[in-house]
Amino acid sequence: MKRYTYFSGILTLIILLFLCILPISTLGKTYSINNVIIDCTVLQDSRINWKENRTFDFQGAYSFGYYDLPKTGYEWVKEIVVGENDSTYTFDESKSTGSFWLENLSDAHRVHYYYTAENEQRTFQYSYIIEGAIDVYEDYGQLYWKMQGTGWGTSVENFIATIHFEKPIPQEEYMVWAHGPLNGLVSKIDDSTILLEVIDVPAYTFVEIRLLVPAAYFHVTDKLTGTIKEKALEEEAVWVKEANDFRDQEEVLVENPELTKEEQEKQAREEQVRALAKQRKNLIWRWFWDLFFYGIALFLILYAAINYFKFGKEHENHKNYDYIREPPDDLPPAEAGYILQFNRFHPNTIQAIFLDLIRRKYIRQEEGDGIEFPKNDLVLIQEEENGFGPLEEYEKTLLFEFLFRNEKNENQPKTSLKNLKKAIRTLPNTFYTTSEKIKRELTTVVKEKGYVDKKSQELSETFTIGCSVFLGIFILIGPFLNKRYLFIIPVLAICVLIGHFGFPRRTKKGKEYFDKCIALKRFLHDFTQLNNLETDSIIIWEKYLVYSVILGISHKVIKMLKIKIESMNTSQSNLLWTTQTRSFTQLTAASLALNASVRNIPKPYTATRSSYQFTSHHSSYSGGGGGFSGGGGSGGGGSGGGMG
């Protein structure tokens, strides 16, 4: 145990150090989107022919991706194709490289596709036909469409979308607006082409177009009643004003064409000085954040290492226990289980307490009489006055608030195992609360008896809670962090585990008791030793049975008891109350069933209640092009996706 604990501490320290010096690419695979180039055509039959290229930069190995198209703002999507380099993938569900298939989700059409990529750039092509995305009114047909939705979890460096008309339309006759990042620009290129451009589209951000095309352009018979132009102009005027007011607050450097050559050179030098100053400022901030994040990591490493060796490392026990023939220190089996599991509730605790209460004659057992209780049912009778040995609080709770509670939530002096299991099913919340109370009382008793190191326990709780809080914060702000600092998340996660499992330890007294229990387990596990045990004392065999439940070797003791019980005097035994193997087997099976019922009690349900720099263009509410506005969001479509 000593060598294992020492090795665990050294290994943990090495892992933490290794994580802190590794670049983020080695901690986990990542990808970015360099370019998005969309080319779509508005057809005169009101369909849209869509072609989209996305260039991904992969760091690490990837093998599959998905592309989502939400089911909003259109009627049908057809002829979906995925490919690369102008070659299409095969449509099948084999999940083999170079294949794709479609999944119909409740809120989206999802395209799954498969490839192999590692530390390289790849461009994927998505194409399809959209029907019903254009609403044709009496005056104009409206395309209100997200060129990209909020489903992409990584930013896009360059976003370019080109919209073509199947037949030219004079620029003054159609109107176009765009919504999304305010550094975007929408332009009328000619009578057949519209261009959208955005640099650095943040993650989870949509890019949307609103296009009004004269109704005469479309060859459709079913037109919507009314007009759309005035409504569109009203809405866009509000969003455009908001966007332009925001832009006007930004400081803009305007060149003066009337400056002399010397003045222009001076202005250029000043601009260069400002640029260098800004660069130095950015470098200082980078040093600051490097110091901050690497400092946190280094502090956590040193703190965890020092406190592990000071407070978390298990005490040494110089006494060597090979075999122990009796349960040590006369400690109740539930407390022995808590010390063995080290600060955790042993899964067989209820079973062990139940058997121990019978052994100590606080509970008498008998078979059903066929009248009050069915035959072959195990009947339990509460006999507090006959019990020996003081009861701990957790034992009182199990005896008086758990075992003899019926389905009406009433205590009774007599019950059966079947009735108890029925009550547990009927009142799961009540029994769950009581079992949690038993756990708390057991924890308190063991700590008060000095088997658990309180200092290490307090340190564990403080360190674990602190690291958990910071872990939650950094997970929330992770999408906005520079990738070079994401290493702090796994470091904090490991620190949470170290604090929870590595810091708590037993006291010297607890470590010595633990070693004695292991020695008792070795003795009981050794069939030869158990078989050669000369004593036929029913008292010691009762203890063996109860403690073997906690030690996880009850099958060994039961096997030997079935052989030896025939020659024992069980008249004074409350636990092994008969020499009949059938009755003895019934008790052990009943205790196992009780333990399983408790462990399966369901937990009660409780109901709980970015900024970036940009080059900006003023927006135009007239529909003639210009900068993006920040409104919108009501358009249909809006792709999303991811890689794995």
Side-chain angles (χ1 to χ4, degrees):
M1 178 60 68
K2 172 185 173 182
R3 294 175 60 187
Y4 172 77
T5 306
Y6 179 79
F7 176 78
S8 299
I10 295 297
L11 182 61
T12 300
L13 180 59
I14 292 173
I15 291 174
L16 286 172
L17 284 169
F18 188 60
L19 284 171
C20 289
I21 62 175
L22 278 178
I24 188 63
S25 61
T26 63
L27 292 177
K29 56 187 185 180
T30 61
Y31 69 89
S32 58
I33 303 177
N34 294 350
N35 299 299
V36 174
I37 300 176
I38 298 173
D39 189 279
C40 62
T41 302
V42 179
L43 305 177
Q44 289 188 274
D45 60 4
S46 78
R47 295 184 303 162
I48 301 171
N49 189 351
W50 187 279
K51 295 181 180 179
E52 177 178 342
N53 290 337
R54 284 186 177 261
T55 301
F56 295 84
D57 188 356
F58 295 106
Q59 297 297 321
Y62 285 79
S63 59
F64 68 90
Y66 64 91
Y67 181 97
D68 288 343
L69 188 63
K71 297 177 178 179
T72 56
Y74 62 97
E75 295 177 359
W76 302 98
V77 58
K78 299 180 179 179
E79 301 179 29
I80 299 176
V81 174
V82 180
E84 290 183 81
N85 303 321
D86 296 323
S87 63
T88 60
Y89 283 4
T90 304
F91 180 76
D92 63 60
E93 297 188 18
S94 64
K95 299 184 180 180
S96 58
T97 301
S99 67
F100 77 97
W101 59 283
L102 306 179
E103 182 180 8
N104 187 20
L105 302 177
S106 61
D107 58 348
H109 299 288
R110 172 165 290 184
V111 184
H112 298 269
Y113 55 99
Y114 303 88
Y115 57 90
T116 54
E118 184 172 2
N119 301 326
E120 60 181 304
Q121 283 192 3
R122 297 280 284 275
T123 299
F124 297 93
Q125 300 163 347
Y126 318 92
S127 62
Y128 41 88
I129 301 293
I130 305 168
E131 294 186 4
I134 299 175
D135 295 324
V136 182
Y137 293 84
E138 295 175 2
D139 54 348
Y140 285 88
Q142 175 178 255
L143 173 62
Y144 203 168
W145 192 259
K146 293 184 183 70
M147 310 303 285
Q148 169 179 288
T150 58
W152 293 99
T154 186
S155 60
V156 178
E157 292 184 17
N158 300 292
F159 186 97
I160 299 174
T162 306
I163 299 96
H164 303 281
F165 297 123
E166 187 178 16
K167 177 183 177 181
I169 305 172
Q171 295 184 42
E172 64 273 11
E173 293 186 12
Y174 68 85
M175 291 171 278
V176 62
W177 302 269
H179 312 133
L182 296 185
N183 61 324
L185 179 66
V186 57
S187 308
K188 292 181 177 181
I189 303 302
D190 53 37
D191 292 351
S192 300
T193 310
I194 300 170
L195 181 66
L196 278 77
E197 300 172 280
V198 193
I199 304 296
D200 293 331
V201 181
Y204 307 107
T205 301
F206 68 80
V207 176
E208 185 178 62
I209 188 173
R210 190 176 198 176
L211 175 62
L212 295 187
V213 178
Y217 173 84
F218 298 101
H219 299 163
V220 296
T221 55
D222 297 331
K223 294 184 178 180
L224 299 175
T225 304
T227 60
I228 188 62
K229 178 181 176 181
E230 294 304 323
K231 178 183 178 182
L233 287 172
E234 267 183 37
E235 292 177 346
E236 296 299 332
V238 174
W239 295 330
V240 165
K241 183 177 184 305
E242 292 175 354
N244 289 339
D245 287 345
F246 179 81
R247 292 186 180 98
D248 288 339
Q249 296 174 7
E250 300 297 315
E251 182 180 355
V252 180
L253 178 64
V254 181
E255 295 184 2
N256 187 349
E258 298 180 359
L259 294 177
T260 64
K261 183 178 180 180
E262 291 78 10
E263 290 173 330
Q264 290 179 358
E265 290 176 352
K266 180 181 178 182
Q267 187 182 58
R269 287 194 299 271
E270 292 174 350
E271 180 63 27
Q272 187 177 15
V273 170
R274 283 194 293 270
L276 289 173
K278 182 177 181 181
Q279 187 177 4
R280 284 195 296 270
K281 182 179 178 181
N282 291 339
L283 186 59
I284 291 172
W285 274 111
R286 177 171 174 173
W287 287 344
F288 171 78
W289 289 117
D290 281 356
L291 182 63
F292 176 76
F293 283 101
Y294 285 99
I296 288 178
L298 182 60
F299 170 78
L300 290 174
I301 292 169
L302 293 176
Y303 187 88
I306 291 172
N307 284 282
Y308 169 76
F309 286 107
K310 187 175 181 181
F311 298 108
K313 185 180 177 183
E314 192 77 274
H315 288 290
E316 296 181 6
N317 183 18
H318 300 289
K319 298 179 181 179
N320 184 24
Y321 299 104
D322 186 17
Y323 285 127
I324 287 184
R325 295 173 176 267
E326 289 199 27
D329 300 356
D330 203 27
L331 204 65
E335 296 170 31
Y338 190 91
I339 296 170
L340 284 170
Q341 288 291 101
F342 193 36
N343 217 19
R344 294 196 304 276
F345 194 72
H346 195 287
N348 296 336
T349 295
I350 298 296
Q351 181 186 2
I353 300 174
F354 170 66
L355 292 175
D356 197 45
L357 289 175
I358 295 176
R359 179 185 73 85
R360 292 160 59 193
K361 300 185 179 181
Y362 282 98
I363 300 174
R364 179 164 56 87
Q365 54 171 324
E366 61 183 34
E367 288 189 354
D369 55 8
I371 302 174
E372 184 179 2
F373 297 100
K375 284 187 176 295
N376 298 323
D377 191 6
L378 183 67
V379 178
L380 306 175
I381 303 169
Q382 188 180 114
E383 293 190 337
E384 181 184 359
E385 66 280 0
N386 295 328
F388 63 87
L391 289 175
E392 298 288 355
E393 289 301 319
Y394 63 86
E395 293 174 321
K396 293 178 182 177
T397 301
L398 183 71
L399 180 62
F400 302 122
E401 300 180 29
F402 193 101
L403 293 176
F404 292 91
R405 188 185 298 271
N406 61 23
E407 65 272 18
K408 297 180 181 180
N409 204 15
E410 299 170 342
N411 284 325
Q412 53 189 0
K414 190 175 185 180
T415 188
S416 70
L417 184 64
K418 288 183 179 179
N419 287 349
L420 176 58
K421 290 164 68 175
K422 181 180 178 181
I424 292 175
R425 290 193 300 270
T426 305
L427 302 168
N429 288 3
T430 300
F431 281 91
Y432 179 87
T433 302
T434 307
S435 65
E436 290 299 303
K437 180 181 178 183
I438 293 171
K439 293 179 183 179
R440 291 193 301 271
E441 292 173 343
L442 174 60
T443 301
T444 301
V445 167
V446 175
K447 290 181 178 179
E448 288 178 349
K449 290 185 177 180
Y451 289 94
V452 176
D453 191 324
K454 293 183 179 180
K455 177 67 176 180
S456 68
Q457 182 70 25
E458 292 171 358
L459 179 66
S460 170
E461 293 173 356
T462 303
F463 187 72
T464 302
I465 293 173
C467 289
S468 298
V469 170
F470 278 104
L471 177 62
I473 292 173
F474 282 119
I475 288 176
L476 289 175
I477 67 175
F480 309 102
L481 277 180
N482 189 308
K483 290 182 180 179
R484 64 188 284 112
Y485 303 130
L486 290 180
F487 71 87
I488 198 66
I489 293 177
V491 169
L492 282 166
I494 291 177
C495 284
V496 170
L497 296 176
I498 295 298
H500 184 71
F501 296 105
F503 281 179
R505 68 175 176 182
R506 306 171 186 88
T507 59
K508 290 182 179 180
K509 177 182 176 182
K511 179 60 169 60
E512 183 176 358
Y513 183 83
F514 172 83
D515 291 345
K516 289 180 179 178
C517 284
I518 297 301
L520 175 64
K521 181 177 181 179
R522 279 195 294 267
F523 171 74
L524 295 178
H525 192 270
D526 191 333
F527 192 85
T528 303
Q529 292 286 335
L530 204 58
N531 190 39
N532 293 334
L533 187 66
E534 295 180 357
T535 179
D536 285 330
S537 169
I538 195 66
I539 304 300
I540 190 64
W541 279 102
E542 284 184 325
K543 288 185 177 181
Y544 284 165
L545 176 60
V546 174
Y547 278 85
S548 68
V549 170
I550 286 297
L551 295 172
I553 53 171
S554 57
H555 60 288
K556 287 274 187 180
V557 175
I558 290 172
K559 184 177 181 180
M560 182 56 63
L561 263 174
K562 287 181 178 179
I563 298 173
K564 288 186 170 287
I565 198 170
E566 300 293 339
S567 61
M568 291 183 186
N569 179 11
T570 60
S571 60
Q572 300 300 316
S573 172
N574 202 45
L575 183 61
L576 308 175
W577 59 291
T578 176
T579 58
Q580 297 180 16
T581 303
R582 181 183 64 81
S583 298
F584 170 65
T585 304
Q586 181 188 33
L587 171 62
T588 55
S591 66
L592 284 170
L594 171 62
N595 201 64
S597 297
V598 174
R599 291 170 64 179
N600 292 328
I601 298 175
K603 186 176 181 180
Y605 171 77
T606 54
T608 58
R609 299 272 180 229
S610 119
S611 64
Y612 54 93
Q613 293 181 327
F614 55 82
T615 302
S616 181
H617 303 269
H618 272 60
S619 306
S620 169
Y621 75 89
S622 65
F628 281 29
S629 70
S634 301
S639 68
M643 295 294 184

